[in-house]
Amino acid sequence: MDSITLPFWGPPTSYLNFCEEDYVITRFIAEFINTLSSFVYIAYGIYGLRFLNQRQQAGYRSISYYGLIGVGVCSAGYHMTLKYHTQMSDELSMHLLTTPLLYRILTFKASPQRTKIIGIALLASFTVVMVVHMVMDEFLLHAVSFGLGVYMIAARTLKIVAQQVPEPNLQKKIRHIAIFGSFCFLFGYFVWLIDNFGCGGLIAIRTIVGVPVGFLFEFHGWWHVFTGIGGYTAVAIIDLTTAGEVHQDPTDLFAWPLSPVARVLGPDPEMAKKK
């Protein structure tokens, strides 16, 4: 292999390598579609920050949107290089997104003492996961703690929506949006499983159909897309709900595809009032 076709980042050192074949499109990007699809997180994070800046309501509310951007940057860096240290940054960035969300929903309307205790507990748990994962190459603790965090976020968010949104039709619409986001996340996990356990079949299909149709069968990329939608849904609903901004229909405040989905799934509170 000559210097023109040699991988720019050298041989992979990460212990995970997904179904997308390495350095097929360019020598500068190991997994092209997996890298490109990581920008979904960044796009949603930027949308959220622009929304807050337009309303002059940035500050602490920006943290979760920066978390989305961080996930996208670290994911893109990992799939672009397939190096061990970028894999660690990718996996730990997931906790940098869920931990602030957990803090925000668990401390919502909590006493100062309870808020302090929760903050210390979350910081300690994040530190333990980070150190154990990086020092011992232990994957199970990372996966279980992340999954538990996602579950707690989903369950607690639905409770907060019920408390903060007394208008029945508006509450129903927001709950439907939250359920849609959860479905996207679960569907992303489903295609992630197919990418892992059905890799041989996917490669065969991509070989038959060729480029660019074969890109549609890069299922880890779809994992990024659907979990990006699910992650943004959680961040947006938690942000709007805990900030007390759900007295009116928030449909037009959401990014695509949540706005059109909200119009289809949820009743129009204003129309309901007129009836």
Side-chain angles (χ1 to χ4, degrees), residues 1-8 22-23 27:
M1 185 179 289
D2 57 40
S3 60
I4 296 178
T5 57
L6 278 174
F8 179 78
D22 300 345
Y23 295 104
R27 64 182 290 258

Coordinates of all heavy atoms in Angstrom, one line a residue, residues 1-8 22-23 27:
M1 N 0.9 -1.2 0.0 CA 0.0 0.0 0.0 C 0.9 1.2 0.0 O 1.8 1.4 0.8 CB -0.9 0.0 1.2 CG -1.9 1.2 1.3 SD -3.0 1.1 2.7 CE -4.0 -0.4 2.4
D2 N 0.7 2.1 -1.0 CA 1.6 3.3 -1.0 C 1.1 4.4 -0.1 O 0.1 4.3 0.6 CB 1.6 3.8 -2.5 CG 0.2 4.2 -3.0 OD1 -0.6 4.7 -2.3 OD2 0.0 3.9 -4.2
S3 N 1.8 5.5 0.0 CA 1.5 6.6 0.9 C 0.2 7.3 0.6 O -0.4 7.9 1.5 CB 2.7 7.6 0.9 OG 2.8 8.2 -0.4
I4 N -0.3 7.2 -0.6 CA -1.5 7.9 -1.0 C -2.7 7.1 -0.4 O -3.7 7.7 0.1 CB -1.6 8.0 -2.5 CG1 -0.5 8.8 -3.1 CG2 -3.0 8.5 -2.9 CD1 -0.5 9.0 -4.6
T5 N -2.6 5.8 -0.3 CA -3.8 5.0 0.2 C -3.6 4.6 1.6 O -4.5 4.0 2.2 CB -4.0 3.8 -0.7 OG1 -2.7 3.0 -0.7 CG2 -4.3 4.2 -2.1
L6 N -2.5 4.9 2.2 CA -2.3 4.5 3.7 C -3.3 5.3 4.5 O -3.5 6.5 4.3 CB -0.9 4.8 4.1 CG 0.2 3.8 3.8 CD1 1.6 4.3 4.2 CD2 -0.1 2.5 4.5
P7 N -3.9 4.7 5.5 CA -4.8 5.4 6.4 C -4.1 6.6 7.1 O -3.0 6.4 7.7 CB -5.2 4.3 7.4 CG -5.1 3.0 6.7 CD -3.9 3.2 5.8
F8 N -4.7 7.7 7.0 CA -4.0 8.9 7.6 C -3.8 8.8 9.1 O -2.8 9.2 9.6 CB -4.9 10.1 7.3 CG -4.4 11.4 7.9 CD1 -3.4 12.1 7.2 CD2 -4.9 12.0 9.1 CE1 -2.9 13.3 7.7 CE2 -4.4 13.1 9.6 CZ -3.4 13.8 8.9
D22 N -13.5 0.2 6.7 CA -12.6 1.3 7.1 C -11.9 1.9 5.8 O -11.5 1.1 4.9 CB -11.6 0.8 8.1 CG -12.1 0.3 9.4 OD1 -13.3 0.5 9.6 OD2 -11.4 -0.4 10.1
Y23 N -11.8 3.2 5.8 CA -11.1 4.0 4.8 C -11.5 3.6 3.4 O -10.6 3.5 2.5 CB -9.6 3.8 5.0 CG -9.1 4.3 6.4 CD1 -8.8 3.5 7.4 CD2 -8.9 5.7 6.5 CE1 -8.3 4.0 8.6 CE2 -8.5 6.2 7.7 CZ -8.2 5.4 8.8 OH -7.7 5.9 10.0
R27 N -8.8 8.3 2.7 CA -7.8 7.9 3.7 C -7.8 8.8 4.9 O -7.1 8.4 5.9 CB -6.4 7.9 3.0 CG -5.9 9.3 2.6 CD -4.6 9.2 1.9 NE -3.5 8.9 2.9 CZ -2.7 9.7 3.4 NH1 -2.7 11.0 3.1 NH2 -1.7 9.3 4.2

